[in-house]
Amino acid sequence: MATLLALIVPLLNPGVPPVKAASLAGSVIRVVGNDVLVGTQDGQVVGFDSASGAYRFTLAGGEGPVRDVTAVDGQVWWVCEGSHVLRTVDSTWQPVAVDLKIDGAVMRLSPWSGSVLAHGETKTLAVDARSRAVASLDRVLPSEVAKVCSQGPVLAQWNEEGGLIFSVRRLGRHTKPTEPGGVLDLATVKAWRVQGHSRATELGGYTVTLGDFHDANGPEVVAQNGTQTVRQKFGTMDLGNVSVGPEGLVALTKTQALLVPFVRSNWQTQWQSLPVAPDYAQNLSFNGSAAWWSNGDRLVQGSLEDGTCDVYVPQKAAKIVDIAAVTDGAWVTTSSGTFHVRADESSSLASAGLVRYELSEASAKPDSVEESLLARYLGDVAALGRVAARSKDGKTAVVNLLSAAHLGTKKVSVSARLAKARRVYDLQYGDVLKSGLAWGLYLGNGRQVRFANRKAEVVPVQIGEGCSVVRALKSNGELLSARAIRGNRLLENVFPVGINRPVPSLGHGIFVVDHPGTAFDQPQTDQQLQLQAAIEGWIGTPYVWGGTTKDGCDCSGFVMQAFREIGISLPRHSQDIGRAPIGTIVTDELRYGDVLVFPNPKHVAIYVGNGRTAEAVSGGVGYSSISRRRLAVVRRFLD
């Protein structure tokens, strides 16, 4: 139905001109199947292909900004800001309105077993997608679950295995915040896994501060706090800082992320510290181990694996309105347009006008031979001051510093190298930042040394309109292509390569290839056969953030344990596996058992031949295709 919708709507609306995503400033964005659904400021929904970004359809009928949009069995439903009227289209694509006749507005929509759950300020109702009949929650949920869910906001998710539903109820109020500057209202969160309309398994409960409740006209809250029965006035909240997926629940608080991964029939809770305080950001979205939210005008991608953050800074002022995380990055709608931000593709950053940098200690360490040469000078603050004092301007200071690090040659001076340096949108150690008369060098971890007025100062990285970033240093891949380095030096300085084709943004043409059906592509050695048996023993293990057992694991937990079973010790986190001081670096042909470490979003997988990988993703440990991947650090730990 979704494909049929995409094909027919443009044909039946010949008077509706195609819309370019880059020029569409939306009010909300969701990804459903192969469609990106963008709600507009004037009550319409525009659909795009999630992979290519091609325009698909426009649905009209609403008034005012779209508050939320979803799809059930290929039928799109949406609701506008401040409204309790749901919108859809009939079989002739004419607008249809379903009035819920409730107090207050609808805040969220969720698909649920052939129905749309409309989460209002005072109650949640179910609308049958076929008949459009409106029903109370106890018609689609077990009565005991529906009773609890009627006492506060509800979050829900439905997939082929059934549904997950969460009740968020007011429990009380702290006398002082649990986090500096945090909220005081206390919420009790309860979750169930639901099969059909009559069977539900309680997964657990948790007490946490998620945001401030607002009084609303709903039933009294009756909850247990230990052995005590607590009664509270009904309250509602936005819950834009809480997101639910098949892996579990993620909630952003003042300074941290709360993770509630599902482990078979129960749940566990974890806290992840983050270098960018989320401050209850109301546009959270996550996919696997990558969570996305906005921080002021910055887009943030946080790793739920190790807590590191990538920050995307706009070069022109634009408000980030909403985010929809996908496997390779996120779809983002802003006050200036809608963009597919592919985390490992520089061209998508350029199209969106974004510059990315990573906040982590690892990003402040040199990753290449030339970066190591420069690092000897960038780490000496006094030396930087002396270079600045004897340089007439910022550019001269940068040239003098690069020259001191012996990055120029008799044939190619540093000035000539800078003149030919390529513009980049993902900051790496040693990149040159230019903004007016001020020049600087990137130090990693969100800092730069800035040269201006014959002074050098280490400051937070500053990206804005008129700022450009160029890469004068050569990566190890470029040096290897030029045969400038050899052998073991590479083990100290790994670098990503293309998969089955070159990736121009890497600055070199090195790529690995798979050859299905050849001898090296299948397990042959004793080690490879042992690894094959170990992998098969993990297939079907549920995905759990931070997990390392067969009760639940994440991507690096699976790879680490599979290799441990055959006597090879690897680090715990994905990027550390890429930098492990054992094994070799692969730059030519893939072999069974090679490990692919993807830098962004952070992920790791094992190559198992025939163009496939074994990996832990949101659906659990299973097999995937290598064809959808563009680049990786490839390591070989088997003999």
Side-chain angles (χ1 to χ4, degrees), residues 523-546:
Q524 301 286 335
T525 68
D526 288 343
Q527 268 193 328
Q528 288 174 332
L529 292 169
Q530 291 169 7
L531 181 62
Q532 181 184 44
I535 290 170
E536 290 175 352
W538 283 83
I539 297 299
T541 299
Y543 184 93
V544 174
W545 299 301

Side-chain angles (χ1 to χ4, degrees), residues 108-112 117 119 124 141 154-158 163-167 244-245:
R108 291 174 307 283
L109 301 176
S110 304
W112 188 267
L117 294 187
H119 308 286
T124 297
L141 293 175
V154 174
L155 294 162
Q157 194 222 24
W158 185 270
L164 297 169
I165 194 156
F166 302 80
S167 164
V244 178

Side-chain angles (χ1 to χ4, degrees), residues 246-270:
E247 307 91 338
L249 175 145
V250 178
L252 299 179
T253 64
K254 181 70 176 180
T255 61
Q256 303 179 84
L258 169 66
L259 314 181
V260 187
F262 298 117
V263 186
R264 300 194 187 278
S265 61
N266 59 18
W267 70 0
Q268 301 172 347
T269 55
Q270 307 169 17

Side-chain angles (χ1 to χ4, degrees), residues 366-369 372 476-477 480 485-495 570 575-587 633-637:
D367 270 342
S368 73
V369 171
S372 297
N476 277 346
L480 181 64
I485 54 178
R486 289 285 189 276
N488 291 335
R489 289 292 296 276
L490 284 175
L491 257 186
E492 302 171 7
N493 304 283
V494 298
F495 61 94
L570 296 180
Q575 304 308 296
D576 293 333
I577 291 174
R579 293 186 286 263
I582 60 173
T584 59
I585 294 172
V586 181
T587 57
V633 171
V634 186
R635 301 298 310 276
R636 183 169 295 152
F637 302 111

